Structure formats: C-alpha cells, structure tokens
Amino acid sequence: MGIERPIAQENKKAPSTAIEGWDPAAANIFNNSSILITGATGSFGKMFIKTLFERYQPRRVAVFSRDELKQYEMQNDAVFQREEMRFFIGDVRDERRLDLALRGVDYVIHAAALKHVTAAEYNPFECIRTNVLGAENIVHAAIQQGVKKVIALSTDKAASPINLYGASKLASDKIFVAANNLSGADGTKFAVVRYGNVVGSRGSVVPFFQKLINEGADSLPITDERMTRFWITLQQGVDFVMSSIAMMNGGEVFVPKIPSMRITDLAAALAPDMATHIVGIRPGEKLHEVMVPIDDARTTIELKDRYVIEPVFAWWNRVSYLAQGAQPVDEEFTYSSDKNDDWLDPKALRAMLGLEQ
C-alpha cells in the first residue's frame, strides 16, 4: 500500500439512511450461488435469508447452527419453507463438520458467536473456543473447500476491548484479515464487518426496557447518564453485510456510518413519562463505544456511507476504493459514539422501531 498524505477529516453529518440507500443490485453475486450462514437461526440470520429470497435467486441457502430446536422452529416458518433451503446441525468448534458443510458453497456469512459479555467473563474458555478457535476453523474449511468469499460479523466491542467478549472478537477479526495471506491471490477472500447495537434485537436494551414497561415497572434502570451507543436497524445491518461482501477485495474491516444515541434519550423515547434510576456501569462495560480507534486511523479510508480499515499487508492496494472517491481520514481521527456527527433523538428512534409518532 502506497503512502499517501491524509486529508483533514471534514465535520459532515452522515445521513441515518445511508445504508438504506445502498443499491441491492450491487450484490447480484448471490444469484445462482450457494450461501451458508453460521448462527443463522438468530435474528440476523433470519433477516439475511429473508432478504436474500426477496432480492435474489440463490441456488442454495444453508443454515449452520447447533440448536436443533431453533432449526426446527425455523423449518416450520413459511418464510423458510423453500426448496433452496438446507439445514445443518453443527458447531463452528468442529472443523470436520464445517469442512463437510462448506462443500460447494460460494459465500459464507459468519454470524455465530458467544456474545453475552457477562457470560463470557464467567466462562472464558467457552468464549475462546467458539469466537477464536471457531474463526480459525472457518478459515481452514473455507480455504479447503474453495469458498469464494467469507465475511465475518464483528462488534464495536472489538475495538480497544476491555472485556473478554470484545477481546475474543478482536482476535477473530485479526484471524479473518490475516487469512488472506493463507489463501493466496486467487483463493478465498476474507473480510469483516463491524457495527454497533441492533435496535430491537434479542439481548439489546430496547426489548429489556419494553419488557419492564409492559410489566408496570416504576422506573427504568440507567447505567450512566453520560452513556452513548451506536445504533443500527436489523435491515440496515443485513444491507451493510450484503454490500460489503459485494465490494470486498479481502482483508478489510467495514464500519458503517450510523447514528449514536444517549441512553437517557432511549429511555425517554420508549417511556416519556417514566422515571429512571442509576444502577452503575457493569463490569466490562464502556461509557462510550468506539468503532475506529485512533491507532487505526492511519490505515482507514472514508466512503460516503462507511469507513474501511485497510489491512497492513504489502499486497494490499487501495486503488479500487480511491476510484470510488475514498479519502484517507486524518491521523487523529476516531469514530466513537460520543463524538459522532449523527444523533438519534427520541422521535427518530421510535421511527426506527416502527412505533407511532
């Protein structure tokens, strides 16, 4: 990668609809292709598959997960009762099973992970086996079976991590980026997408707050009044992954431009008249999240709707991105939820959730 002089980062407001404005025709690679999604019985996997069938004509779509009950429930959902669907019981910890499942697969979306911060702290070995060793198994199997592209879902917690979950995902990200050195110029391409909290997803604060509201709670628990987070809708996340796998050259970490929100504003959006009480930050939790740390700024370029953290390998060439109008960010740049130029207010969040205005 040639050395180029960074330009000053402009203070521009990124539109919240930037990802929604992406042209789905860019991912026509999915037509007549075989796609496998690990952890596909989760909310992301289901939305990804639903979107695949709405927009494209894949030859085969495979679910790879370890929970037979969730697979059974998914198979009985009319949305997924299609002849193109395949269901594999398996664990990413099992390389031999992955090797069998990836035969004839063109594209892999790796969404399987142990994601609960507290559970990872209490069960560190299990977290490592799934998130780190599982990533290594995906790499080996994909190269062995000649998969064209693999894109792995990461998290904002992987940037400057302070908990084991974030550290394990950072290690996973590094494995997928470095895997391009193993596959060679004509082999499997690997890349990573990194984004923040998914609005309304299982385990997020939104359904937790809604549950408390429905149960008649007197007030909502706030960890810290200063706390901020990045937010993205499930459909935006799916669109971002699809667009990233279509444009990737191998080795990138893609970061979407998405809005931030204060936790106090989130509570106000869901229950304007309800009181709040402070419970304190939990172990391993940050006050603000970061998606592009300052130390990655030297290898980060900016596009209209995303940042691309480039791999630091001699073979990397940014020419295709410069042709799309990409610009290097300033060396002092950082993309964090408290220094964002795009903010959600309560009205905008309610719109994202599909609630009445």
Side-chain angles (χ1 to χ4, degrees):
M1 182 174 68
I3 298 175
E4 298 167 73
R5 184 174 178 269
I7 63 170
Q9 177 73 11
E10 295 182 15
N11 185 24
K12 296 183 293 184
K13 184 179 184 296
S16 301
T17 57
I19 302 166
E20 293 175 344
W22 166 68
D23 180 9
N28 283 333
I29 57 172
F30 292 130
N31 287 328
N32 197 35
S33 294
S34 176
I35 304 107
L36 180 141
I37 305 97
T38 69
T41 56
S43 55
F44 173 87
K46 289 180 179 178
M47 179 63 79
F48 188 92
I49 294 171
K50 180 176 180 288
T51 303
L52 266 180
F53 287 126
E54 288 174 348
R55 297 177 181 171
Y56 311 106
Q57 293 80 47
R59 182 177 72 256
R60 186 180 69 156
V61 177
V63 169
F64 185 93
S65 70
R66 63 184 184 179
D67 192 321
E68 61 179 337
L69 175 60
K70 290 180 182 177
Q71 284 201 18
Y72 173 77
E73 292 171 344
M74 194 171 175
Q75 290 178 61
N76 283 279
D77 186 330
V79 173
F80 306 107
Q81 292 176 348
R82 303 176 62 107
E83 62 180 13
E84 299 95 338
M85 290 294 301
R86 303 289 186 276
F87 291 85
F88 292 94
I89 297 291
D91 197 315
V92 294
R93 300 181 184 191
D94 186 345
E95 184 180 344
R96 293 183 62 187
R97 181 59 173 144
L98 277 171
D99 205 47
L100 291 172
L102 293 189
R103 289 184 300 177
V105 170
D106 297 305
Y107 303 104
V108 172
I109 291 81
H110 178 46
L114 292 183
K115 304 172 184 177
H116 195 279
V117 171
T118 305
E121 297 295 317
Y122 194 74
N123 304 276
F125 302 124
E126 301 306 307
C127 179
I128 294 298
R129 289 187 181 108
T130 295
N131 295 356
V132 180
L133 300 184
E136 180 185 10
N137 291 338
I138 292 281
V139 168
H140 289 165
I143 293 174
Q144 181 68 28
Q145 294 302 327
V147 172
K148 294 177 183 177
K149 291 182 177 181
V150 175
I151 197 155
L153 273 61
S154 186
T155 169
D156 48 12
K157 294 176 177 60
S160 303
I162 63 169
N163 53 57
L164 183 65
Y165 167 56
S168 71
K169 292 301 287 183
L170 175 60
S172 171
D173 294 354
K174 296 291 187 181
I175 287 170
F176 284 112
V177 171
N180 293 277
N181 295 323
L182 305 177
S183 60
D186 299 321
T188 308
K189 303 302 181 186
F190 299 87
V192 174
V193 294
R194 175 188 295 168
Y195 52 74
N197 295 276
V198 178
V199 176
S201 67
R202 185 184 64 186
S204 80
V205 69
V206 172
F208 174 62
F209 276 1
Q210 289 175 324
K211 179 176 181 291
L212 291 177
I213 294 167
N214 293 335
E215 291 175 349
D218 295 327
S219 64
L220 296 178
I222 301 294
T223 50
D224 191 296
E225 291 182 335
R226 299 166 295 172
M227 182 173 284
T228 62
R229 288 293 183 266
F230 289 106
W231 291 97
I232 189 171
T233 67
L234 191 55
Q235 186 65 64
Q236 284 178 326
V238 167
D239 289 351
F240 188 68
V241 171
M242 287 184 169
S243 65
S244 295
I245 200 169
M247 71 190 297
M248 62 181 271
N249 295 321
E252 305 98 325
V253 177
F254 294 98
V255 177
K257 293 181 179 179
I258 53 178
S260 296
M261 190 173 199
R262 295 174 181 84
I263 192 67
T264 50
D265 288 340
L266 188 147
L270 298 177
D273 301 321
M274 186 175 290
T276 61
H277 63 278
I278 304 300
V279 296
I281 294 180
R282 295 169 295 182
E285 192 172 35
K286 291 182 180 180
L287 194 60
H288 310 290
E289 291 289 1
V290 177
M291 288 205 284
V292 181
I294 190 170
D295 290 322
D296 283 331
R298 292 184 297 276
T299 56
T300 297
I301 53 178
E302 179 183 9
L303 289 166
K304 181 180 179 181
D305 66 345
R306 73 193 69 202
Y307 299 101
V308 181
I309 303 174
E310 305 171 295
V312 288
F313 297 124
W315 48 262
W316 175 258
N317 192 323
R318 62 168 56 162
V319 170
S320 66
Y321 287 103
L322 296 178
Q324 299 176 56
Q327 296 286 351
V329 302
D330 188 85
E331 288 193 357
E332 299 300 314
F333 173 76
T334 182
Y335 187 40
S336 60
S337 60
D338 62 324
K339 298 178 181 178
N340 201 352
D341 295 324
D342 189 4
W343 288 85
L344 282 174
D345 58 21
K347 181 178 179 181
L349 179 71
R350 290 179 64 82
M352 290 178 73
L353 292 169
L355 302 175
E356 58 181 353
Q357 299 300 304

